[in-house]
Amino acid sequence: MSLKDKINPQRLPKHVAIIMDGNGRWAKCQGKDRLFGHQNGVESVREVTEASVELGIKFITFYAFSTENWNRPVDEIEGLMHLMIQAIENETPTLMKNNVRFEVIGDIQKINKETKEAIERITEKTKNNRALTMIIALSYSSRWEIEQAIKTIALEVKNGELDIDDINQDLISNHLCTKNYPDPDLLIRTSGEYRISNFLMWQLSYSELYFTDVFWPDFKRENYYEAILDFQSRERRFGKISEQLNK
Ligand code: FPP
């Protein structure tokens, strides 16, 4: 029985979030520059996205660039933005064929015009696709997102549009970039690092965490199936005790 066949289609994560880590180290191991690692990382994005469509997963979020990544060398930042444009141009037909909607979350004001325009094009073109929503976290961090949400809520209170007593967890969730998506059920981080790195900190409260030593460019379908099978072996209690759950 293949790994894929072992996956229970009734117990799929609805939303998978991925911290794609290890591109630089993967490239270094081969004596290549960091951008070579990122280029090969795009292949893994493609495979995991296709596998998600085939399995019937509804949302997948890739952490492509954090607000802190703006501190990387300019060459790497420019290379990554160029790679993003290239990937968008190359992958748009496949996303249309596979009925995948493409969306971006993050502080996109900081992104250069060319990349922003490519993002706007693909978002508009794929907006009615429904099989899978592929979310790219770009110039994103949780602390930035929460700061924005607090500013907006404070302004609404100041303008008399909102009462302080209206502030609750649902209202906060509805002021985050992820307001249209369910919280991730599963977080995958590659490359043997055990951190959240400012990624979806509010939304990951009850997510199952899966860490693997595999570097992102080596993370392919079979690795993804393994992560999903591991997820399916977990008991999600959401603060309750085992006996209270509907088995
Ligand atoms: C982390 O590895 C990876 C990134 C910061 C960039 C990931 C971006 C891509 C794979 C391109 C995404 C493209 C699309 C279309 C989503 P690292 O550079 O931190 O690796 P290291 O820890 O080994 O240095």
Side-chain angles (χ1 to χ4, degrees):
M1 205 183 197
S2 72
L3 279 181
K4 189 181 182 188
D5 291 337
K6 288 186 186 162
I7 293 175
N8 177 354
Q10 310 303 324
R11 290 196 56 211
L12 287 172
K14 196 166 183 192
H15 184 174
V16 179
I18 305 188
I19 302 179
M20 320 181 267
D21 200 8
N23 294 350
R25 278 164 286 161
W26 182 88
K28 198 172 169 195
C29 286
Q30 326 209 9
K32 299 278 174 52
D33 65 21
R34 299 178 54 80
L35 214 50
F36 182 71
H38 298 316
Q39 278 158 358
N40 283 274
V42 175
E43 295 297 319
S44 300
V45 173
R46 180 185 301 125
E47 266 207 31
V48 168
T49 305
E50 276 178 9
S52 300
V53 173
E54 287 166 19
L55 289 170
I57 288 168
K58 303 307 288 180
F59 297 87
I60 186 156
T61 302
F62 294 100
Y63 201 7
F65 195 85
S66 72
T67 50
E68 288 76 24
N69 287 152
W70 289 115
N71 299 319
R72 288 197 175 192
V74 174
D75 284 0
E76 184 171 345
I77 296 174
E78 283 177 358
L80 269 168
M81 293 302 150
H82 183 67
L83 201 57
M84 186 66 61
I85 297 172
Q86 250 184 350
I88 288 174
E89 302 301 340
N90 294 341
E91 300 304 325
T92 302
T94 315
L95 296 188
M96 291 306 291
K97 187 178 91 185
N98 289 331
N99 197 16
V100 177
R101 176 166 54 163
F102 181 100
E103 299 198 337
V104 165
I105 56 169
D107 187 5
I108 62 158
Q109 299 318 319
K110 284 201 175 149
I111 293 169
N112 66 40
K113 188 165 166 274
E114 216 190 339
T115 313
K116 229 187 301 181
E117 284 172 359
I119 290 169
E120 280 160 11
R121 270 199 307 278
I122 191 171
T123 305
E124 177 61 26
K125 183 142 182 122
T126 62
K127 72 177 181 198
N128 295 319
N129 292 347
R130 285 295 175 269
L132 169 75
T133 302
M134 172 191 200
I135 303 141
I136 308 297
L138 194 63
S139 187
Y140 170 89
S141 76
S142 264
R143 289 183 177 184
W144 164 80
E145 175 186 44
I146 291 169
E147 180 187 336
Q148 296 308 308
I150 291 173
K151 279 183 184 157
T152 311
I153 293 170
L155 201 63
E156 286 169 10
V157 172
K158 189 177 162 199
N159 293 341
E161 298 157 20
L162 196 67
D163 196 87
I164 286 197
D165 290 334
D166 295 334
I167 300 174
N168 57 29
Q169 295 181 24
D170 283 342
L171 183 118
I172 295 170
S173 291
N174 283 328
H175 281 76
L176 299 177
C177 310
T178 50
K179 61 176 180 286
N180 296 325
Y181 319 129
D183 287 344
D185 304 292
L186 169 64
L187 170 80
I188 300 171
R189 182 170 190 148
T190 57
S191 90
E193 304 289 354
Y194 300 84
R195 286 188 294 275
I196 299 298
S197 298
N198 218 344
F199 184 48
L200 301 176
M201 291 187 310
W202 174 275
Q203 299 88 337
L204 291 174
S205 296
Y206 281 102
S207 308
E208 296 299 323
L209 309 182
Y210 179 86
F211 298 98
T212 168
D213 287 342
V214 174
F215 290 143
W216 177 249
D218 284 334
F219 191 91
K220 302 291 188 217
R221 267 167 199 277
E222 297 297 305
N223 308 88
Y224 189 45
Y225 298 151
E226 271 172 26
I228 292 169
L229 283 167
D230 188 86
F231 166 81
Q232 294 191 331
S233 74
R234 313 269 182 103
E235 180 181 69
R236 304 188 74 199
R237 292 194 291 277
F238 299 95
K240 295 182 181 173
I241 65 166
S242 203
E243 289 71 20
Q244 290 175 297
L245 304 174
N246 289 330
K247 297 264 171 163

